[in-house]
Amino acid sequence: MAQAQPNIALIKYWGKRDAALNLPVVGSISITLDALWTRTRVAFEPGLEQDRVSLNGRSDAAEAKRVSACLDLLRQRAGVNWRAAVDSRNNFPTAAGLASSASGFAALIHAGDSALRLNLSDAEKSVLARRCSGSAARSVFGGYVEWAHGKLADGTDSVASPLLEADAWPLRVAVAITSTAAKEVGSSEGMRRTAQTSPFQSAWIETQEADLATARAAILARDFAALAAISEYSCLKMHALALAAQPGLLYWNGASVECMRRVRALRGQGVPVFFTVDAGPQVKAICEPQAVEQVKAALRDIPGVLDVVETGLGAGARNLTEAEYTA
Ligand code: DP6
């Protein structure tokens, strides 16, 4: 049994150099959250004919296929072909741009590693989680995390590692939920379409190293203004890249745009806050702790914002006891 939390990229991952191995064209930097989680139980049962997968109490064929493919990586490592019963649940809406695949696959790899007594290192878990969903590589670790794009064809160097502990710079995050519908175009398909059709793909790849260096320095210096500027830049650049695909990928709704404008207005008034948005319509406002009540109130006020969820930064994937799992 394991728990992992979603992460939010400040310097975005978008694009793959190898779709089968989930190798990214660029490195990325994220923060791991604490209040949102996925809890997963994996039990390998030699008598089972096929994997039995329950996600939030339901079974879905497409999701089950992805889970089985991920379990195959663990079975391969362990040299067994036992099928497994998997039970997993999130305390937040799935597939709505809140990175449920990141926490989901990080928790699955962690729980599967324990169940098979593989004793994988965190770096090895990150590599396996990456193969299930790119951003899951980062949720193996807590706090501020960088995932290297790597150079090797087999992807063993495309692994995440921690940059700074969560406690060392405890920023807060207010997530404005503007829709609970599943996203129209998933990240994998969005990235494929972008790489094939967006004229900005090469500029995106060329400029990423500089953004990573700027963000890394801002995090190590706890320089909020610098992190705010580079994070909004990376977010808007990723969306500009995806908007220029054919057909264009428009992940925002009207409320998303209003949230971004409100965050910018607050920052203009001296409030330490910035936004980021992934492949969905939710807006994540990252702020210094003393500003979080004001930021939440401002976002709640925007028509179309259904809810605002607050979270801090948290730890990486970890094992749970039975009591913690059922709590
Ligand atoms: C916009 O990790 O969900 O959130 O590797 O295809 O599973 P796959 O994609 P996924 O993509 C996340 C994209 C993003 C940016 C980010 O998290 O860096």
Side-chain angles (χ1 to χ4, degrees):
M1 282 161 286
Q3 170 169 329
Q5 282 101 245
N7 68 77
I8 296 174
L10 303 182
I11 303 300
K12 302 294 185 191
Y13 150 52
W14 198 255
K16 305 184 191 208
R17 64 184 165 90
D18 182 322
L21 290 176
N22 251 349
L23 296 175
V25 286
V26 291
S28 54
I29 290 178
S30 61
I31 45 178
T32 301
L33 307 179
D34 69 351
L36 314 177
W37 47 252
T38 300
R39 289 183 181 160
T40 302
R41 183 206 302 270
V42 179
F44 287 91
E45 294 172 15
L48 272 184
E49 297 226 325
Q50 51 184 350
D51 294 324
R52 267 205 334 248
V53 180
S54 160
L55 299 179
N56 292 316
R58 291 201 318 261
S59 53
D60 170 284
E63 290 291 346
K65 209 172 145 201
R66 250 183 117 182
V67 167
S68 281
C70 192
L71 291 171
D72 284 343
L73 300 175
L74 291 162
R75 285 188 273 255
Q76 234 168 37
R77 286 296 285 254
V80 300
N81 59 11
W82 307 324
R83 303 293 109 182
V86 175
D87 181 57
S88 185
R89 66 186 204 280
N90 296 332
N91 70 343
F92 60 98
T94 300
L98 280 173
S100 59
S101 68
S103 52
F105 287 110
L108 183 67
I109 289 294
H110 207 92
D113 168 70
S114 306
L116 290 170
R117 301 191 207 292
L118 282 168
N119 280 319
L120 298 175
S121 67
D122 283 345
E124 289 173 304
K125 284 179 204 161
S126 176
V127 164
L128 290 187
R130 182 207 80 223
R131 292 188 55 183
C132 310
S133 176
S135 54
R138 300 184 307 233
S139 274
V140 170
F141 299 97
Y144 300 77
V145 178
E146 178 162 4
W147 168 25
H149 67 78
K151 291 192 172 68
L152 300 175
D154 70 359
T156 45
D157 60 346
S158 183
V159 57
S161 59
L163 283 175
L164 187 71
E165 291 296 311
D167 292 349
W169 196 17
L171 297 178
R172 305 293 299 175
V173 182
V175 183
I177 312 278
T178 64
S179 167
T180 52
K183 57 189 162 196
E184 287 160 30
V185 183
S187 305
S188 303
E189 165 56 22
M191 290 184 204
R192 186 164 44 237
R193 189 187 300 175
T194 303
Q196 281 169 1
T197 61
S198 177
F200 303 151
Q201 180 80 0
S202 57
W204 167 251
I205 296 170
E206 279 159 26
T207 54
Q208 186 84 345
E209 281 307 319
D211 297 355
L212 289 166
T214 303
R216 219 179 281 132
I219 288 166
L220 296 180
R222 276 80 142 175
D223 182 340
F224 189 87
L227 188 62
I230 195 67
S231 299
E232 286 192 2
Y233 172 67
S234 178
C235 164
L236 293 175
K237 191 163 54 166
M238 181 200 97
H239 284 276
L241 167 76
L243 281 163
Q246 282 182 322
L249 295 155
L250 180 51
Y251 285 113
W252 307 334
N253 58 30
S256 324
V257 176
E258 283 312 312
C259 288
M260 289 187 269
R261 300 184 77 91
R262 190 69 62 94
V263 166
R264 284 240 166 130
L266 284 171
R267 197 157 76 256
Q269 295 159 16
V271 179
V273 60
F274 65 88
F275 66 75
T276 193
V277 188
D278 292 303
Q282 327 301 5
V283 175
K284 292 99 175 189
I286 295 111
C287 64
E288 290 187 356
Q290 73 278 13
V292 74
E293 292 306 326
Q294 189 183 357
V295 169
K296 284 195 300 184
L299 293 173
R300 271 206 190 99
D301 217 31
I302 294 170
V305 171
L306 308 173
D307 195 9
V308 177
V309 176
E310 182 188 343
T311 167
L313 308 192
R318 65 196 169 281
N319 289 323
L320 293 180
T321 63
E322 180 70 38
E324 287 168 330
Y325 183 78
T326 43

